[in-house]
Amino acid sequence: MGRPPCSEKKGVKKGPWTPEEDIILVSYIQEHGPGNWRAVPTNTGLLRCSKSCRLRWTNYLRPGIKRGSFSDQEEKMIIHLQALLGNRWAAIASYLPQRTDNDIKNYWNTHLKKKLSKSEGHGVGHDDNEHDLNGVSSDSSSSGAPKGQWERALQTDIHMAKAALCEALCLDKSPITTTTLASQAPNFTRASPVQSSPTYASSADNIARLLQNWTRKSPNSWSPEITTCHDQYNSNSFNNYHQVGSTSTGSPSSGFGSLYNNFNYSMNNSSSTDVSMDDAANFTTQSKHDKGKLMLQDYDVTKPIVKNNSSHYDHQQVHEHEELPPLTLLEKWLFDDVTMAAPPQDDLMMNMF
DNA sequence: AACAAGATCAACCGCAAACCC
DNA sequence: CGGGTTTGCGGTTGATCTTGT
């Protein structure tokens, strides 16, 4: 008999998070940093399981998350990467640091799958299995996929891991991070003011924005380099949040005001700082067991390809360079529209080295 | 205006890997 | 090394929103 879901525990709440809960969680993380999720419900009094807290943070409250509709470039990247990596959303998300794996997964399932199946032509009698534009199974690990495809996907992973390592070790080369990756895409703007998602998502986004500078307050914060995007974050952010919170939940809790002041502090002290895409890309979480040491984690672009191939790749070694590995060739390929219809061949990937 | 169907997406669940003792 | 705990990931669900009739 397995462990029962945490939500089955007595007094554990399920369902959508309220703005009040978000504030509590954010406030706690602002103080202690993410990690040690098990302690979060206990220490905050939130009636949520640790898992739920972590999910809420990583998917919605974490700074640097972009919400709203996907740009064409993002869409193409996802299609490319999905073809390359299969349904490894976390790996794909690491190339789009502003997007969460959940977001990408949803977008794939709701938009791209249909789009691709349409573009594939009008029912040449293909089955329900998803295929990318190139006819490669979208789920390279699925049992139905031919062995060759699975091996190919694995080999590609290894190649890309090698590329990342190789380039990371090239100190004389100026690194190209997701910053440049993103900057090549005209529509890759941070936190687009035009939010397609209506109420709650945008309110969570506002909290995330407010958090951009929270590390300034937290001496023990795990990511001291994170700075704030002051140009976009004005007090309206919180006001919007407040409004939304009020409408969606009736009325905010009494503790809301003091928390607001708390966040306002951050905003008012953010005027001299700037944020870049690098900040989002470098946004790492501290291992609960490695306090004080930056660790490569989910949203670090050095990690994606090797996530499941750690034996091929020395994370620490790369990290010591304090720079993200360049992805020049991949970028070139990913943003090359011409190659949309032509998958990367093994020999092409091999030529990277 | 009311209802149904479809679309969207936040959140949950289960599993596996990572981690610690 | 083994067992227990924690974390991360991907698949899935279900509530809510949107669109069509």
Side-chain angles (χ1 to χ4, degrees):
Chain A
M1 206 154 95
R3 193 194 306 180
C6 58
S7 60
E8 284 181 14
K9 288 177 191 167
K10 196 180 174 184
V12 174
K13 190 179 166 190
K14 285 175 71 172
W17 280 65
T18 65
E20 289 85 353
E21 288 176 309
D22 281 345
I23 291 286
I24 291 169
L25 178 60
V26 160
S27 186
Y28 177 82
I29 292 172
Q30 186 175 17
E31 193 75 28
H32 300 93
N36 196 12
W37 296 107
R38 189 169 174 78
V40 173
T42 313
N43 295 342
T44 60
L46 284 169
L47 301 176
R48 297 279 181 172
C49 67
S50 55
K51 214 170 180 178
S52 185
C53 293
R54 181 181 57 79
L55 200 70
R56 185 65 186 168
W57 169 259
T58 54
N59 281 345
Y60 298 97
L61 302 177
R62 174 173 66 92
I65 291 179
K66 174 183 171 185
R67 307 207 64 78
S69 53
F70 283 68
S71 70
D72 287 346
Q73 290 292 346
E74 285 177 303
E75 193 175 302
K76 284 173 186 172
M77 271 193 81
I78 293 169
I79 292 169
H80 274 309
L81 289 166
Q82 203 280 341
L84 196 64
L85 303 172
N87 294 355
R88 289 159 59 184
W89 307 116
I92 293 171
S94 59
Y95 285 98
L96 296 156
Q98 292 180 295
R99 301 288 189 181
T100 68
D101 52 354
N102 207 34
D103 232 9
I104 292 170
K105 180 173 59 184
N106 281 335
Y107 189 67
W108 174 265
N109 287 331
T110 57
H111 294 90
L112 297 181
K113 232 154 80 167
K114 292 174 198 164
K115 203 171 178 176
L116 291 181
S117 61
K118 272 185 189 174
S119 71
E120 256 188 354
H122 305 286
V124 195
H126 73 280
D127 56 30
D128 287 341
N129 292 337
E130 303 96 45
H131 296 268
D132 62 57
L133 289 172
N134 314 312
V136 177
S137 170
S138 63
D139 183 0
S140 58
S141 64
S142 71
S143 57
K147 189 185 171 192
Q149 289 180 7
W150 184 88
E151 284 175 344
R152 183 171 156 148
L154 180 63
Q155 193 175 29
T156 302
D157 279 2
I158 294 167
H159 291 334
M160 293 174 74
K162 280 184 189 171
L165 177 59
C166 175
E167 300 209 52
L169 293 174
C170 293
L171 292 171
D172 55 329
K173 290 176 66 176
S174 61
I176 298 175
T177 68
T178 49
T179 306
T180 47
L181 193 107
S183 67
Q184 293 176 15
N187 293 329
F188 267 35
T189 53
R190 286 191 305 274
S192 164
V194 180
Q195 299 286 338
S196 67
S197 30
T199 54
Y200 196 66
S202 58
S203 67
D205 187 42
N206 287 335
I207 284 206
R209 293 176 185 188
L210 291 164
L211 265 173
Q212 292 277 336
N213 200 38
W214 70 267
T215 51
R216 295 166 65 85
K217 262 195 82 183
S218 179
N220 296 331
S221 65
W222 83 109
S223 185
E225 286 84 8
I226 294 175
T227 53
T228 298
C229 178
H230 63 80
D231 54 344
Q232 292 200 29
Y233 308 149
N234 52 49
S235 58
N236 287 335
S237 298
F238 193 89
N239 291 337
N240 291 342
Y241 184 91
H242 195 166
Q243 259 183 331
V244 171
S246 299
T247 54
S248 64
T249 63
S251 64
S253 67
S254 59
F256 218 61
S258 60
L259 285 164
Y260 168 70
N261 291 335
N262 196 20
F263 283 112
N264 218 18
Y265 168 87
S266 296
M267 291 192 303
N268 291 336
N269 287 280
S270 65
S271 60
S272 64
T273 56
D274 262 318
V275 74
S276 67
M277 284 285 293
D278 273 337
D279 295 323
N282 283 324
F283 193 90
T284 56
T285 54
Q286 182 186 29
S287 164
K288 62 172 181 152
H289 305 300
D290 291 281
K291 292 182 174 60
K293 186 174 75 178
L294 285 174
M295 298 294 289
L296 286 166
Q297 291 288 340
D298 304 320
Y299 299 95
D300 187 327
V301 294
T302 62
K303 192 179 177 183
I305 313 304
V306 295
K307 180 183 127 195
N308 293 325
N309 297 288
S310 56
S311 60
H312 301 296
Y313 191 80
D314 188 343
H315 290 179
Q316 190 60 39
Q317 189 176 20
V318 171
H319 200 62
E320 281 169 359
H321 293 143
E322 296 178 350
E323 286 172 340
L324 299 172
L327 296 168
T328 318
L329 293 170
L330 273 177
E331 285 172 354
K332 191 169 186 302
W333 174 70
L334 286 168
F335 284 102
D336 187 356
D337 289 352
V338 179
T339 62
M340 273 292 288
Q345 302 300 313
D346 280 353
D347 55 346
L348 172 64
M349 299 301 288
M350 288 295 285
N351 287 338
M352 285 181 170
F353 316 108

